[in-house]
Amino acid sequence: MAKLQFFKAGQHDGQEYPFADEGVRAGFPSPAQDYMENGIDLNHDLVMHPESTFMARVAGDSMVDADVHDGDIVVVDKALEVHNGDMAVCVLNGEFTLKYVELSPDGAVLRPANDDYPPITVGEGDNFEVWGVVTYVIHKVH
């Protein structure tokens, strides 16, 4: 299984970045306006529970069809309850893995988002834990 590199979410440090709060048009261009008067604090906007939120750098390509690539950063909240279909960081037999989680009375299935990888059925003898639910993916585009 892929190795994830974890980082504790930073506490609110007041660092704000220029923010186009009115939106950037992805359709037809609109007249250029100065929307950069507002600021955004990424810790405030991406981290709901600072004491239980971590960042993890993704290693591997099992989630590429979910647009999660090797080197991306996922924001993981350990305080959230996992629901069927959630993307989560799980611990299976002592190793971390990032997958979609399907829970049933019979157990759990961990589904990759890449046809090159099979689903993982969690067996009765497996040591399994949902470590945290993914709330955001930070994806480099350039």
Side-chain angles (χ1 to χ4, degrees), residues 46-135:
L46 301 182
V47 178
M48 229 182 332
H49 304 106
E51 65 285 347
S52 62
T53 299
F54 292 80
M55 311 289 178
R57 187 172 306 279
V58 176
D61 64 352
S62 72
M63 298 300 287
V64 294
D65 292 337
D67 206 20
V68 180
H69 302 269
D70 186 68
D72 286 355
I73 296 170
V74 290
V75 179
V76 183
D77 192 334
K78 294 181 72 171
L80 297 179
E81 181 180 336
V82 68
H83 295 98
N84 278 330
D86 282 350
M87 185 183 299
V89 172
C90 301
V91 181
L92 181 61
N93 298 324
E95 294 188 40
F96 285 106
T97 188
L98 176 68
K99 301 287 184 279
Y100 286 118
V101 177
E102 293 179 10
L103 301 172
S104 73
D106 298 330
V109 175
L110 307 180
R111 296 216 179 267
N114 181 338
D115 289 338
D116 291 340
Y117 295 86
I120 301 168
T121 300
V122 178
E124 194 173 304
D126 287 324
N127 185 0
F128 172 72
E129 171 189 4
V130 174
W131 193 78
V133 175
V134 174
T135 56

